[in-house]
Amino acid sequence: MSRAVVYRELGGPDVLEIADIDPGEPGPGQVRVRLEAAGVNPIDAKLRGGRRPSPPIDGHRRVGSDGAGVVVAVGPDAAGWRPGMPVAVSGALGTYAEEVTTDAATVFVRPPAVSAVDAAAVGVPTSTAYQSLRSLAVGPGDTLLLHGGSGAVGRAAVQFAVLWGARVIATCSDRRAGDLQALGAETVRYGVGLAERVRTLAPGGVDVALDAAGTDEALRTSIELVPDRARIATIVRGADADGVGIRAFGGGSPHPLTLQELAWRREGIAVALPLLAAGAFSVEVGPSLPLAEAAEAHRLVESGVDGKVILLP
């Protein structure tokens, strides 16, 4: 049996509890991973609280999609995997646990130089950033306006865009400006007068905008500064995107990701892990808590905290 975090009803963080779960033997195309770290994402708390739609709960529901650890068992037709391999996991069901059995397609080779904690912080934010920038065709010569640059998605987006030759202007607080500048972004304070401050930095104009903040200001400024609305996207305000004629990748959008977008999300993790090992990419890790403190982890995520919150099974 494996200890895992579950909930039996929607509600606040206190609905989370520890249960003994049989992770099951891996079936065709599956592997079982002993988890050393699990990444806590905002979507986990939104699903638990009923702020994102999900199917009815049948008995209990496991939590978490990102993690890292070591393969301990391999099912038939899971070619290339063997027990003892260090891996990252993203897109699994129930990574707040000691073990998880999952499709091999959700498992990625973890270079020895990448710790389980750092690998668990990659997953959702890094894949979202990568796919969003690929969908927006960000590349050399582009000036990208990035709202919410200091969050996990924002930091990943800064690094990919800079790596691909784009100029990045990222909104953030004064307190976080130095961190983003070290990653290669130019920073601008959000708040009243944002559009004018961006114009001062980029008198030649802005080509593309990505909203990872979800504020009215972010949408309004993007629409004001970017001529082509097909090159404006939000990952937070998906339900509002159609109404203002911009694109949305998740964030409550009624439009599911395309097969190509899903492929880019997987590709983003596979690209980031070797870069992380080489010191050419970074993740910001915040508080690490034991598995039994999953409720506190969700409180931290919902209240806002610097860095990725990690659970340690």
Side-chain angles (χ1 to χ4, degrees), residues 100-123:
V100 67
T101 297
T102 185
D103 292 343
T106 68
V107 177
F108 304 82
V109 173
R110 173 165 58 94
V114 178
S115 71
V117 167
D118 282 353
V122 171

Side-chain angles (χ1 to χ4, degrees), residues 122-133 153 210 235 249 265:
V122 171
V124 168
T126 300
S127 63
T128 301
Y130 185 93
Q131 172 265 309
S132 298
L133 296 182
V153 175
L210 177 61
I235 62 165
F249 309 123
R265 292 214 171 184

Side-chain angles (χ1 to χ4, degrees), residues 22 50 74 112 114 117 119 127 130 132 136 158 211 215 225 249 259 268-269 280 292 300:
D22 181 1
V74 178
V114 178
V117 167
S127 63
Y130 185 93
S132 298
L136 291 168
V158 167
D211 164 40
T215 61
L225 296 180
F249 309 123
L259 291 177
I269 298 171
L300 288 170

